[in-house]
Amino acid sequence: MIFYHPLYSALQLPERHRFPIKKYQKLENAIHAMGFSDRVFKAKPASLAQIKLCHDANYVDAFVNGFLSQKAIKKMGFPWSTTLVERTLLSVGASIEAAEYALEHGLGLNLGGGYHHAQFDHGAGFCIFNDHAITAQHLIQQNLVERVVILDCDVHQGDGTADILHDNDNIITCSLHCAQNFPRAKARSDLDFELEKGCTDVQYLQTLQQALDLIKRLYQPDIIIYNAGADIYYKDELGLLKISLAGVLERDRTVISFCKSNEIPLSIGLGGGYQRNEEQLIEVHKQLLFAVFENY
């Protein structure tokens, strides 16, 4: 049910780097402490052919072989290394595996993923390859599904996902995000729900329910791919919303319950979450685990 690899936390980042790389290992430890060790599967890497379903071949080859320009590396947000390449392919592969598992068993979770800022020909905002776009294209290409909805509830808009898939009628992009947050220039998703800075639980959850109702009425998806970003939490250092810990849990419960009651397979990516206090950050991401384990 949960796909993970130790390399998720293996990157050596510069001191004070903004990305909380150790959170993945700590979350896996939390799963073991909760008594669900048997739910964790070791992720397998995506193939380059799968990556190229959504990304320029020259960009993919340059990243894999270490030929990116310094400007491209800076925009990506991580220093290049062979470990970064391996980690990236594993995290995309885990999203594909989680979706295929969900089609058979109802729900799959990648304990990483949600790299929604990655564009067709470059990385951005700690996102190198757009795992959810790739996963959706893979499912369509393999004739496993006819229609996919990507439901992005990270605090930042899924601009890369929207841009990559903008002319694909079989993959619907839906983003709930803070209007005043990154990226400054928003893309156009099929459904965009912009929330104002300081939005609290009640308004957020009402908007989410509206989004789910529209998804059901307009699209009847064969699977939903869900970006469960923890950065909607009010103490997140890169978020501008005011969602409580209980609100994060209720959001995840709402999405999971909606999919379960409508018999829609659900594949989940962990998404963003940015606090230098990693223990506090883990508590926010754990709300997703609570919602998963109480339903599956």
Side-chain angles (χ1 to χ4, degrees):
M1 173 190 294
I2 300 172
F3 296 88
Y4 168 79
H5 196 282
L7 279 183
Y8 281 12
S9 287
L11 287 184
Q12 297 299 314
L13 298 179
E15 188 176 354
R16 303 294 294 172
H17 192 279
R18 199 65 200 78
F19 194 82
I21 195 68
K22 300 301 181 185
K23 73 178 184 179
Y24 302 101
Q25 180 63 63
K26 292 182 177 181
L27 274 169
E28 194 215 11
N29 293 342
I31 292 169
H32 294 312
M34 294 164 72
F36 293 102
S37 299
D38 60 331
R39 306 281 187 95
V40 181
F41 298 84
K42 198 169 186 179
K44 299 174 184 175
S47 69
L48 296 188
Q50 289 171 327
I51 301 294
K52 291 174 183 178
L53 290 171
C54 287
H55 291 286
D56 175 67
N58 291 330
Y59 165 54
V60 175
D61 294 340
F63 172 73
V64 169
N65 295 302
F67 297 142
L68 288 179
S69 68
Q70 286 303 309
K71 181 179 179 181
I73 291 172
K74 183 177 181 181
K75 190 173 183 66
M76 182 173 71
F78 292 123
W80 187 90
S81 66
T82 55
T83 301
L84 177 64
V85 173
E86 191 173 358
R87 178 191 187 274
T88 301
L89 296 179
L90 285 164
S91 58
V92 176
S95 285
I96 293 171
E97 288 185 283
E100 291 179 341
Y101 187 94
L103 289 175
E104 290 191 29
H105 304 283
L107 183 144
L109 168 62
N110 177 7
L111 206 66
Y115 304 126
H116 60 170
H117 299 309
Q119 298 280 347
F120 172 70
D121 60 358
H122 65 272
F126 308 134
C127 303
I128 300 164
F129 297 142
N130 196 308
D131 58 305
H132 286 171
I134 293 165
T135 297
Q137 287 280 42
H138 166 78
L139 297 179
I140 297 288
Q141 185 201 53
Q142 296 298 311
N143 295 314
L144 297 173
V145 299
E146 293 182 359
R147 175 163 284 170
V148 181
V149 166
I150 299 176
L151 174 62
D152 194 330
C153 290
D154 192 278
V155 77
H156 308 105
Q157 193 207 29
D159 58 329
T161 312
D163 282 339
I164 289 170
L165 300 171
H166 73 278
D167 59 353
N168 192 316
D169 294 335
N170 296 319
I171 305 172
I172 306 304
T173 55
C174 176
S175 182
L176 277 73
H177 55 269
C178 178
Q180 290 81 16
N181 216 318
F182 179 88
R184 181 179 59 81
K186 303 294 190 289
R188 184 173 180 178
S189 311
D190 292 296
L191 297 171
D192 279 304
F193 295 86
E194 292 202 324
L195 299 154
E196 293 300 310
K197 176 181 177 180
C199 171
T200 55
D201 292 14
V202 171
Q203 182 186 355
Y204 187 96
L205 294 169
Q206 288 175 345
T207 304
L208 174 61
Q209 191 60 58
Q210 291 170 7
L212 293 171
D213 291 343
L214 271 177
I215 287 169
K216 179 181 178 181
R217 179 163 57 86
L218 297 179
Y219 300 115
Q220 299 90 45
D222 299 310
I223 187 171
I224 289 178
I225 300 175
Y226 171 44
N227 184 350
D231 43 14
I232 65 168
Y233 181 56
Y234 79 101
K235 289 185 179 180
D236 195 273
E237 292 157 17
L238 297 184
L240 298 174
L241 301 184
K242 297 294 183 184
I243 309 303
S244 70
L245 200 61
V248 176
L249 176 60
E250 189 57 32
R251 177 201 64 175
D252 295 337
R253 279 176 169 163
T254 297
V255 173
I256 292 170
S257 297
F258 171 83
C259 289
K260 191 173 184 180
S261 63
N262 288 285
E263 298 183 336
I264 302 171
L266 176 64
S267 179
I268 306 173
L270 194 71
Y274 305 94
Q275 296 183 63
R276 295 204 184 275
N277 183 333
E278 287 189 348
E279 299 309 316
Q280 189 166 271
L281 174 58
I282 295 307
E283 286 304 311
V284 187
H285 279 300
K286 279 172 65 177
Q287 305 310 302
L288 173 63
L289 300 179
F290 295 148
V292 167
F293 293 146
E294 70 187 20
N295 280 279
Y296 288 89

